[in-house]
């Protein structure tokens, strides 16, 4: 039987189609967007492929009907733009264009996967399936879902092992959503931006899409730290002319020599991205004016592949004839490409006016790979090392994904760990080169060799010397692993590894171990209950509840480890063969006891002159029990959000809190919008980190400014001095951001003080 999907769709949206709200104007807009997408296809495609693309467009347009985006535009413009990004910016082919056009139809319209399978292909249906969110949480194996966001992301990642295009199209989808984020309400912007910076930007980096990664990071920063973003943007603008002049004077002699030598090339200065400058300001704790590498010089050679390596080194030689290089800043990713495929020769030289300048030397092919990453890999497939480089990472990712039953949040974090960018390379005893993220350990190496080698890793030798399992790998190390069958993973091992593979393998092994030992604990409990004439199955959940465990396994395991006082069970009431959580002598239950014994929190609140007033989701927050998070100590005037915890009411965090990204990316549904209500008579705790010269009297100068000049109360003050340099931490009570900023400003005026920053 022939299926005609189009007639089905027409039938389904019949009612809507007749009163179609799409105006002629919009109809034209949609048509233009589609034409633009088609024109951006750079490679030859078959007639069949082009017909399929058109059919996908027609179907998506019909299916989305008169749905609209938050911007008010017709919805169909979104899938068209996603398809355009797939081809124009990621260099993907017809299959991805079709899947891009259809990526939201199953989630948002009546079209089913089966329809797509019949109308297009199994592949298209599989890709769209990967891009479709779980429609309801109940679909996820009926279990408790701690984080739907993590589950959905896990679903996308699991398809990597089937078809990497799913992730690439998701990237295009996210990029378009980020570009058009302005139309969303603010707290949703924050959630999407955090999720993007937590996982999508590192993923783009891992797949080698540097350009997209940079754009995503800047778009995220605009939402998460708008003030800092605008500050840097303005500063960059203001210093542009000076920079351009400088770059030109740097380039002139190089250009002349290279021309003389007959090279065809481009040379130019490239400003670094706002987010990468922000990272520098943060990590170096210096003012904008003291950051010199705001730009890099790039030389791109138009040269055939066989000659590119020696040409790059020749350019290096020309540059270092003119400017003195800093030897330890030479990075040769031409001989040894990064594991995400990046190839380039980097050096830092001393330029005119005593300024350090970074120079990047590469061929046109290398440049394309650096911008397009994985996609360019297809273009150059068969030549160079590109294929094996990506295959290596993919096979590592696959190994980690092998264990799909792992907890989604652990999984997400393990995966994120595999995305770290800076790398070290080491050698196996046979001289085979392996890449690791910066900070990886000897134990990570053992797990990378084979999971069995990891499990039984007893010791590791680096260059014939035994090192601790936590030894951090260094470029060029040659390692060998000594194993012992008696060895097995323990909890501490998790602290000694950073790679996703090692983490997930250790976790799995610990879980297996816990299951094994738990079954012994279960037997102990069974005997105890039997003595009370109770059966296990009917009563175990009551016992779990009574002792406050999350699940049965945790209870069994703790019983095995002798951490549970089972004698208490004798003091509980039994009704008709059922244990209850009530005590026989009607003493207050554990739960009630806990309620009255919270002196800590009460005393902490008293330190405030008044409870800070807030609006949460547009309502007066006095309805909720809320506290300010102590990880980031928000003060009146900070950008904040509310997070609904499972046990401790609502916590208020700063949007720049180090935990914010993770919370927003994983528990987005628990995030609520929060705003301050400006009220006098409220006070806040803030913590500052101060660095400077350790002179006599610096302490009294600091305290003078704080307590005498500004009449601010100090809660604590600690200081470490070392070789004439000090680092001090102070905790103060302020009325809000304005007063805090004033304090920072005044402290910076002190001669001995170098930097003052809030502790994040
Ligand atoms: Mn979408």
């Amino acid at each position: 039987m022939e299926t005609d999907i189009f007639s089905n769709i027409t039938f389904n949206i019949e009612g809507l189609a007749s009163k179609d709200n799409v105006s002629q104007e919009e109809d034209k807009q949609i048509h233009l967007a589609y034409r633009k997408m088609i024109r951006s296809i750079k490679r030859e495609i078959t007639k069949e492929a082009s017909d399929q693309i058109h059919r996908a467009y027609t179907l998506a347009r019909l299916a989305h009907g008169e749905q609209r985006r938050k911007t008010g535009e017709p919805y169909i413009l979104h899938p068209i733009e996603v398809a355009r990004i797939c081809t124009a910016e990621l260099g993907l082919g017809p299959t991805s264009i079709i899947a891009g056009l259809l990526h939201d139809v199953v989630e948002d319209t009546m079209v089913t996967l089966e329809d797509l399978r019949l109308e297009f292909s199994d592949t298209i249906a599989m890709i769209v399936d990967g891009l479709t969110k779980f429609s309801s949480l109940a679909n996820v194996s009926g279990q408790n879902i701690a984080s739907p966001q993590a589950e959905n992301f896990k679903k996308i990642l699991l398809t990597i092992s089937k078809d990497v295009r799913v992730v690439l199209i998701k990237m295009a989808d996210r990029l378009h959503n980020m570009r058009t984020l302005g139309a969303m309400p603010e707290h949703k912007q924050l959630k999407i931006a955090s999720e993007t910076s937590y996982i999508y930007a590192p993923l783009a980096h891992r797949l080698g899409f540097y350009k997209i990664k940079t754009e995503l990071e800047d778009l995220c920063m605009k939402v998460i730290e708008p003030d800092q973003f605008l500050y840097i943007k303005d500063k960059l603008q203001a210093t542009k002319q000076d920079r351009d002049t400088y770059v030109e004077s740097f380039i002139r002699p190089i250009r002349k020599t290279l021309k003389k030598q007959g090279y065809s090339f481009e040379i130019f200065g490239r400003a670094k991205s706002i987010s990468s400058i922000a990272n520098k300001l943060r990590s170096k704790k210096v003012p904008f004016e003291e950051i010199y590498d705001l730009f890099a010089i790039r030389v791109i050679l138009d040269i055939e592949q066989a000659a590119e390596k020696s040409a790059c080194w020749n350019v290096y030689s020309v540059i270092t004839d003119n400017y003195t290089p800093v030897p330890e800043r030479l990075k040769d990713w031409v001989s040894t490409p990064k594991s995400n495929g990046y190839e380039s020769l980097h050096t830092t030289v001393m330029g005119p006016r005593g300024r350090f300048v970074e120079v990047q030397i590469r061929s046109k092919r290398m440049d394309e790979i650096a911008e397009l990453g994985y996609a360019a890999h297809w273009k150059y497939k068969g030549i160079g090392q590109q294929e094996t480089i990506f295959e290596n990472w993919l096979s590592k990712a696959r190994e980690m994904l092998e264990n799909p039953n792992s907890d989604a949040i652990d999984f997400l974090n393990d995966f994120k760990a595999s995305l770290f960018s800076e790398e070290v390379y080491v050698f196996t005893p046979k001289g085979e080169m392996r890449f690791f993220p910066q900070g990886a350990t000897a134990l990570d190496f053992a797990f990378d060799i084979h999971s069995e080698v990891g499990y039984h890793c007893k010791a590791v030798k680096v260059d014939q010397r035994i090192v601790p399992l936590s030894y951090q790998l260094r470029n060029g190390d040659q390692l060998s692993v000594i194993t012992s069958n008696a060895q097995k993973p323990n909890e501490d091992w998790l602290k000694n590894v950073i790679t996703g593979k090692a983490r997930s393998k250790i976790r799995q092994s610990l879980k297996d171990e816990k299951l094994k030992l738990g079954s012994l604990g279960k037997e102990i409990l069974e005997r105890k209950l039997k003595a009370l004439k109770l059966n296990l199955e009917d009563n175990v959940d009551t016992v779990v509840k009574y002792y406050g465990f999350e699940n049965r396994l945790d209870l069994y395991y703790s019983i095995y480890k002798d951490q549970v006082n089972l004698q208490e069970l004798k003091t509980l009431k039994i009704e008709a063969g059922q244990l209850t959580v009530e005590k026989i002598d009607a003493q207050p239950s554990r739960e009630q006891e806990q309620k009255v014994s919270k002196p800590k929190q009460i005393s902490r609140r008293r330190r405030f002159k008044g409870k800070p007033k807030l609006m949460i989701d547009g309502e007066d927050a006095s309805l909720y029990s809320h506290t300010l998070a102590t990880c980031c100590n928000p003060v009146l005037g900070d950008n904040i959000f509310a997070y609904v915890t499972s046990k401790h009411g609502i916590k208020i965090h700063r949007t720049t809190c180090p935990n914010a990204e993770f919370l927003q990316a994983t528990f987005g549904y628990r995030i609520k919008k929060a705003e301050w209500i400006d009220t006098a008579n409220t006070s806040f705790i803030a913590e500052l980190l101060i660095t400077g010269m350790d002179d006599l009297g610096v302490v009294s100068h600091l305290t003078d400014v704080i307590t005498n000049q500004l009449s601010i109360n100090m809660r604590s003050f600690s200081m470490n001095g070392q070789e004439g340099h000090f680092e001090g931490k102070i905790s103060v009570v302020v009325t809000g951001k304005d007063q805090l900023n004033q304090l920072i400003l005044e402290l910076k005026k002190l001669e001995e003080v170098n930097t003052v920053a809030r502790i994040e």
Side-chain angles (χ1 to χ4, degrees), residues 481-493:
V481 180
I482 301 159
T483 56
S484 149
N485 277 336
Q487 181 73 299
K488 62 181 182 195
N490 60 52
E491 290 273 347
D492 283 343
W493 280 24

Side-chain angles (χ1 to χ4, degrees), residues 75 78 103-104 173 177:
Y75 194 88
H78 167 63
H103 81 272
D104 274 334
D173 182 29
N177 287 336

Side-chain angles (χ1 to χ4, degrees), residues 646-669:
S646 49
K647 282 174 189 148
H648 308 286
I650 293 181
K651 293 259 184 221
I652 306 299
H653 291 265
R654 279 155 68 186
T655 54
T656 52
C657 171
N659 296 319
E661 203 179 71
F662 171 73
L663 293 176
Q664 300 249 5
T666 322
F667 300 106
Y669 66 103

Side-chain angles (χ1 to χ4, degrees), residues 151-166:
E151 291 291 350
N152 276 315
F153 198 78
K154 181 175 159 189
K155 186 181 168 198
I156 294 169
L157 290 179
L158 286 174
T159 56
I160 279 189
S161 41
K162 285 191 229 152
D163 195 320
V164 76
R165 282 175 292 196
V166 179

Side-chain angles (χ1 to χ4, degrees), residues 106 164 216 251 267 292 299 399 443 481 493 554 628 713 720:
V106 174
V164 76
L216 286 177
I251 285 176
I267 183 167
Y292 285 116
V299 184
E399 264 182 86
L443 193 54
V481 180
W493 280 24
D554 286 349
L628 302 177
N713 279 333
N720 279 316

Side-chain angles (χ1 to χ4, degrees), residues 554-618:
D554 286 349
L555 169 73
Y556 294 151
Y557 185 61
S558 296
I559 291 174
Y560 169 82
K561 287 175 77 179
D562 210 13
Q563 291 165 340
V564 180
N565 181 8
L566 289 177
Q567 297 303 330
E568 283 180 37
L569 291 179
K570 288 185 192 158
T571 67
L572 298 180
K573 269 190 196 166
I574 297 169
E575 280 166 6
Q578 276 294 132
L579 198 64
T580 69
V581 290
E582 262 172 74
K583 297 260 183 190
I584 293 169
D585 52 3
Q587 277 172 353
S589 75
R590 270 171 62 96
E591 261 174 294
Q592 280 163 339
E593 269 170 43
Q594 273 178 350
K595 265 182 203 151
V596 290
S597 61
K598 274 187 180 168
K600 254 189 191 167
Q601 259 179 329
I602 291 166
S603 70
R604 191 189 311 148
R605 267 194 213 139
R606 271 199 200 127
R607 280 198 217 117
F608 294 106
K609 276 189 249 158
K611 202 177 170 187
K613 289 226 167 79
L614 292 161
M615 299 279 277
I616 294 178
D617 260 1

